[in-house]
Amino acid sequence: MATDYYEILGVQRDASQEEIKKAFRRLARELHPDVNPDPKTQERFKEINTAYEVLSDPQKKQMYDLGGDPMGSSAGAGGGFGAAGFGNFSDIMDAFFGTASQRGPKSRTRRGQDAMIRLEIDLNEATFGTTKEIQVDTATVCSTCNGEGAAPGTSAQTCDMCRGRGEVSQVTRSFLGQVMTSRPCPQCQGFGTVVPNPCPECAGDGRVRTRRTLTVKIPAGVDNGTRIQLAGEGEVGPGGGPAGDLYVEIREKPHAVFQRRGDDLHCTVTIPMTAAALGTKVPLETLDGIEEVDIRPGTQSGQSIPLHSRGVTHLRSSGRGDLVVHVEVQTPTKLEPEQEELLRRLAKLRGEERPMGQFQPGQQGLFSRLKDAFNGR
C-alpha cells in the first residue's frame, strides 16, 4: 500500500470517525492555502483532503483497509476536491469557524427576551409576605394574525430566489478545483419564505406591545434585591414564539421606626433617668402589635434588649429574626428647685455629695455627673 492515509492524518488505524474528523479539522486550519500559501503546504493540504475523503467514507475506508484503491488511478495523492470534495467543504469551513454550517431555512419563530420590573413593598409586607397586582408592558402575540405576521387572508410564500432553502450557493474555481459556498438568501434573510402582505397591526413581526395586569405572590422574608421569577410572563418572541420570563425585583421602603439588618430589626427607645434607675415597662408598637419592653432597674444608656422572634421571617428557613431595642437614657437639662433638692438628698444618702475636686478617679458620684451634664461638660 503506497500511501498511508492514517499516517497522513496522524491517527491510529482503529480511530473513530470523530477522531478522524477532529484530526482533519486541526490539519486543515494549519495547512489551508489561505493561511499558508507555500507550495509544499498546498501539496500537503491536498494529501490530507484525500486521506479524509477516504477514511470518512465507510465504503472507501473498508476498501482501503482491505488493500484496494478507493480513489482509483486518476485520484492519486493530490485528489480530494472532486465530486466528494463538495461534501467535505463544510468540514473545512467548520475547521475555521468552529461549527458546521446549518442547512435549511431559519425559523421565524424564536423565544422572546426576559423582562424585569421593580416593585416597592413596605417592611410589614416583606416580613409576612403578601400578594400584589402589577402592570407590565410586554410584547404579546398579535391577535390579528395570531403570530403569523401575514395580513388576514394571506400567508407567507416560498422565496423564489432560494426556493425555500433559505440559502443560495455559489461555485468558484481554484487550483483545488470547483468549490461551492453557501450564504443566507438576501431576499428572505434565510427564512425560506417571504411575507408579501405584512399584518397591519404588528407590521409582520407577529407580536404587539400590550399592558397586562399580573398577580404576584411575595414570599415572607424578601429583601432589597430579591428577584421573583414568573416563568413565561416576559416578552413573546418574534413570529409568536414562546415568551421569556419576567423577573420582579423587590425594593423595600424605609420604615419610620425600625431599621432592618439582615432578618433582625433595630429601634431606639428613650426613657428618663429615674425610669432607668428604678426600672419600668415601656409599651412598644411592633410588627406583631403592642409589646411591653421590660426595663430593669439600673439600665444604662446604650444597653440593648432583644425581643426574640419579633424580626423578619427567614426567607429560606423557618423562624424569624429578633427585634433589638436600644435604650437611651435621657438626663434632664433643667431642674425645678424641689427636684434639685431631692437629687441632692439622694446623692447625700448615697454618700456622693462631696466637695468638687475631692473625688478620686472613677469615684465621681451621681450628683456631680448630673451637675456636669447641666453645665455642658
Side-chain angles (χ1 to χ4, degrees), residues 255-259 261 265-271 282-285 293 295 300-305 323-330:
H255 194 272
V257 176
F258 302 115
Q259 296 82 46
R261 302 175 191 171
L265 297 177
H266 295 256
C267 71
T268 299
V269 295
T270 302
I271 60 174
V282 178
L284 177 65
E285 181 73 36
V293 182
I295 307 295
Q300 302 297 306
S301 187
Q303 190 171 336
S304 60
I305 303 171
L323 170 58
V324 182
V325 180
H326 300 271
V327 179
E328 183 180 273
V329 178
Q330 187 179 47

Side-chain angles (χ1 to χ4, degrees), residues 3-326:
T3 305
D4 189 340
Y5 294 138
Y6 292 101
E7 182 179 356
I8 290 174
L9 292 182
V11 296
Q12 300 294 325
R13 299 188 68 84
D14 58 351
S16 65
Q17 285 295 320
E18 186 61 29
E19 291 172 333
I20 292 172
K21 180 178 289 189
K22 287 182 179 179
F24 169 72
R25 292 175 181 174
R26 175 177 55 80
L27 292 171
R29 284 194 294 266
E30 297 175 3
L31 303 175
H32 193 276
D34 291 341
V35 177
N36 195 334
D38 183 72
K40 292 183 179 180
T41 302
Q42 295 178 14
E43 289 299 322
R44 173 75 171 139
F45 183 73
K46 293 178 182 179
E47 291 178 358
I48 67 167
N49 184 69
T50 302
Y52 180 67
E53 186 175 343
V54 171
L55 298 183
S56 63
D57 187 312
Q59 294 182 347
K60 291 181 180 180
K61 183 177 182 297
Q62 183 180 19
M63 182 184 298
Y64 173 72
D65 290 340
L66 294 174
D69 183 5
M71 299 302 295
S73 58
S74 60
F81 263 109
F86 288 113
N88 293 335
F89 183 73
S90 62
D91 290 311
I92 295 176
M93 295 300 292
D94 189 18
F96 284 94
F97 298 105
T99 56
S101 58
Q102 297 183 352
R103 301 295 180 181
K106 297 186 300 182
S107 174
R108 290 187 179 273
T109 302
R110 300 192 301 277
R111 182 184 184 274
Q113 294 182 343
D114 296 336
M116 186 184 75
I117 65 169
R118 290 181 174 85
L119 177 64
E120 280 195 343
I121 61 174
D122 59 35
L123 179 59
N124 192 76
E125 293 169 330
T127 300
F128 301 109
T130 186
T131 300
K132 289 278 191 178
E133 284 193 349
I134 59 174
Q135 289 188 332
V136 293
D137 291 321
T138 57
T140 59
V141 176
C142 175
S143 59
T144 302
C145 65
N146 295 320
E148 296 295 329
T154 67
S155 61
Q157 298 179 3
T158 302
C159 175
D160 56 9
M161 177 175 286
C162 66
R163 298 182 181 179
R165 292 182 294 119
E167 60 183 14
V168 292
S169 301
Q170 182 180 6
V171 178
T172 59
R173 287 186 173 275
S174 72
F175 68 93
L176 298 172
Q178 290 184 331
V179 178
M180 178 180 292
T181 58
S182 298
R183 59 187 177 88
C185 175
Q187 179 167 293
C188 66
Q189 308 302 317
F191 293 114
T193 58
V194 292
V195 182
N197 299 302
C199 172
E201 184 68 23
C202 64
D205 191 42
R207 54 184 183 168
V208 293
R209 299 203 69 82
T210 306
R211 173 166 291 188
R212 298 178 294 146
T213 300
L214 301 176
T215 301
V216 183
K217 184 177 181 181
I218 310 297
V222 295
D223 200 353
N224 274 324
T226 301
R227 290 186 178 182
I228 301 170
Q229 181 182 9
L230 302 180
E233 297 292 351
E235 301 277 348
V236 166
D245 298 334
L246 175 65
Y247 291 88
V248 180
E249 186 174 271
I250 299 300
R251 285 287 180 267
E252 186 180 305
K253 301 176 185 177
H255 194 272
V257 176
F258 302 115
Q259 296 82 46
R260 180 174 178 177
R261 302 175 191 171
D263 289 340
D264 292 336
L265 297 177
H266 295 256
C267 71
T268 299
V269 295
T270 302
I271 60 174
M273 169 186 71
T274 51
L278 300 175
T280 186
K281 291 184 181 294
V282 178
L284 177 65
E285 181 73 36
T286 72
L287 298 181
D288 298 272
I290 299 293
E291 298 272 350
E292 285 194 341
V293 182
D294 186 14
I295 307 295
R296 297 184 178 182
T299 297
Q300 302 297 306
S301 187
Q303 190 171 336
S304 60
I305 303 171
L307 300 182
H308 299 293
S309 298
R310 290 296 183 269
V312 179
T313 305
H314 300 314
L315 179 60
R316 294 180 177 84
S317 62
S318 60
R320 294 170 60 183
D322 298 332
L323 170 58
V324 182
V325 180
H326 300 271

